[in-house]
Amino acid sequence: MKRYFTTTAAGLVLMTVACYGQTTLKEIKIGTVLYVSLPDYMSRTIGLNDAAVFQYKSTLKDVYGFIIDDNKEELKLAELNFTSINEFYEAFITGFLQGIEKKNISNPLVQKKGNLNFLEADVTYFDKEAGIDIYYLVGIVETGSSFYKVLSWAAVENKDKFKADFQKILYSLKN
């Protein structure tokens, strides 16, 4: 009986090794490592946007935000080829708040810091559901492999209070 068990176990090991030896694997990197800094009054959260790779908020101060990773390789697979951060931004902002009647979008400001391209724009609109004007700092960060959309928002009345912090979040992104 021991001999049968040993022979069967040895056979299974050899079959497993033979199957494994026939398959060549290649390593594929999924996603990128991204670093971001938040003000100490904000914390990581979930539930703001299902597509976000990172979400943050302060319910006490009523400010929120999230980051979405649009991988360039995946965009190309979907036949969405963007030649610049401006082109990506234009495609995004066209659909952002589509159908909202009362909105104001500033001209984008583009900067290069190290090997990253940054774009920021101010967006305000009236949210009928909440009954208030909302301010967004819309940011785009272009890395070698992705476009990151960084959206931070608060009530318009708090724009001056939080815009600098929203910019610090945006410009803190690095990989």
Side-chain angles (χ1 to χ4, degrees):
M1 186 68 170
K2 283 185 176 180
R3 187 174 196 187
Y4 173 75
F5 178 73
T6 304
T7 306
T8 304
L12 288 173
V13 169
L14 287 174
M15 286 178 18
T16 304
V17 169
C19 290
Y20 179 75
Q22 293 176 2
T23 304
T24 305
L25 299 177
K26 63 179 178 178
E27 185 177 66
I28 299 171
K29 185 176 180 184
I30 300 173
T32 57
V33 176
L34 183 69
Y35 299 93
V36 64
S37 298
L38 293 177
D40 61 0
Y41 62 84
M42 293 184 126
S43 60
R44 188 170 187 180
T45 191
I46 60 171
L48 300 177
N49 185 297
D50 291 339
V53 295
F54 186 77
Q55 302 172 56
Y56 49 94
K57 72 176 182 179
S58 170
T59 49
L60 183 64
K61 296 188 182 280
D62 200 25
V63 293
Y64 307 88
F66 56 84
I67 301 170
I68 296 175
D69 177 3
D70 287 302
N71 181 281
K72 289 180 179 181
E73 187 175 316
E74 291 175 7
L75 289 171
K76 284 182 183 178
L77 289 172
E79 298 181 6
L80 298 170
N81 298 310
F82 299 103
T83 59
S84 70
I85 193 171
N86 288 328
E87 191 176 327
F88 180 83
Y89 167 77
E90 288 301 325
F92 166 70
I93 205 70
T94 300
F96 185 61
L97 302 175
Q98 190 171 13
I100 300 293
E101 299 165 11
K102 203 175 151 188
K103 62 184 167 189
N104 186 18
I105 303 170
S106 71
N107 290 325
L109 170 66
V110 179
Q111 299 180 50
K112 185 169 182 82
K113 294 187 180 225
N115 61 346
L116 303 177
N117 293 315
F118 292 87
L119 180 147
E120 71 171 90
D122 291 333
V123 176
T124 57
Y125 76 99
F126 180 73
D127 186 312
K128 289 181 184 177
E129 193 174 302
I132 60 170
D133 288 313
I134 303 289
Y135 164 71
Y136 272 92
L137 178 73
V138 175
I140 307 290
V141 181
E142 181 183 14
T143 69
S145 61
S146 292
F147 290 102
Y148 292 95
K149 292 183 284 225
V150 182
L151 289 92
S152 302
W153 71 92
V156 166
E157 64 197 30
N158 294 322
K159 173 185 174 182
D160 294 337
K161 190 178 196 180
F162 295 112
K163 181 176 178 175
D165 285 347
F166 292 168
Q167 288 172 315
K168 287 176 186 175
I169 294 168
L170 172 64
Y171 291 104
S172 77
L173 262 72
K174 61 185 176 184
N175 59 352

